Amino acid sequence: MTQTSKAPGEHRDPRDELPEHLPALRAFAISLTRNVAVADDLVQDTIVKAWTNFDKFTEGTNLRAWLFTILRNTFYSDKRKHRREVPDPEGVHAASLFVKPAHDGHLAFSDFSAAFDQLSPEHREVLILVGASGFAYEDAAQMMGVAVGTVKSRANRARARLAELLGLEKGEEIFSGVDGQTLAVMSRSGMTAA
């Protein structure tokens, strides 16, 4: 599939660009929902909403940020609707969704994943946006609908809480020598660590 070159100032049709963002949307959805099936439904809802509202997308702006904002808003709207549902507090169902790690790298990631699961949705969200997805604080703030200072504060508190849950000393690395791509491959959900 070849991409035609565009003249300066011209932009690709966002409908053509949309599939490129699906893996990142799915990883973000999984990090928010902690359930692959629910995350896939969330991504599908996001795509339907985006597709039907492309007339509201400002050409030349950040399509990924726009999609992440739709996904985030859909997640929190659904969460408000389903507050009365019974959660899986024992983690019986969640534990059955993956195979236990077989070596030290997987054990370290398993520890990270368990600690990450204990963070609040707001802390997971900010770490995924700023840490794993590489969005600037300003972009994350816009997607989350909060001030830049709030994003910085949440990110700092989230990192501190994660380090506390992992029993790390100040300055100690979670996964020394492992890049984000490797972490994505290691992960059962395709997410990467902040």
Side-chain angles (χ1 to χ4, degrees), residues 110-189:
S110 179
D111 291 344
F112 169 81
S113 185
F116 194 77
D117 286 346
Q118 292 180 46
L119 296 176
S120 69
E122 292 81 12
H123 284 168
R124 288 194 313 260
E125 174 184 36
V126 76
L127 288 179
I128 291 298
L129 290 175
V130 173
S133 297
F135 284 107
Y137 288 119
E138 294 77 13
D139 292 335
Q142 186 177 10
M143 285 184 268
M144 295 168 64
V146 298
V148 175
T150 302
V151 172
K152 290 179 180 180
S153 176
R154 282 184 188 173
N156 187 46
R157 287 193 315 267
R159 287 181 182 118
R161 177 69 178 135
L162 191 58
E164 176 187 323
L165 290 168
L166 291 169
L168 299 177
E169 298 295 323
K170 189 170 185 155
E172 188 177 352
E173 295 287 325
I174 294 174
F175 298 106
S176 57
V178 180
D179 65 2
Q181 297 295 329
T182 302
L183 291 175
V185 171
M186 288 171 50
S187 168
R188 69 176 188 270
S189 63

Side-chain angles (χ1 to χ4, degrees), residues 24-75:
L25 285 170
R26 187 167 189 263
F28 184 44
I30 291 169
S31 74
L32 290 174
T33 64
R34 311 312 291 161
N35 180 307
V36 175
V38 174
D40 287 342
D41 290 343
L42 180 59
V43 170
Q44 184 175 355
D45 291 346
T46 300
I47 298 306
V48 169
K49 287 178 182 182
W51 197 268
T52 57
N53 290 292
F54 268 126
D55 59 314
K56 296 176 184 165
F57 175 70
T58 306
E59 200 168 299
T61 60
N62 189 336
L63 178 61
R64 180 172 285 194
W66 187 69
L67 293 169
F68 269 56
T69 301
I70 293 171
L71 187 140
R72 177 191 180 276
N73 291 344
T74 302
F75 169 74

Side-chain angles (χ1 to χ4, degrees), residues 90-113:
E90 302 298 320
V92 174
H93 179 67
S96 69
L97 296 178
F98 68 97
V99 177
K100 299 226 183 254
H103 62 75
D104 288 348
H106 283 231
L107 290 174
F109 194 81
S110 179
D111 291 344
F112 169 81
S113 185

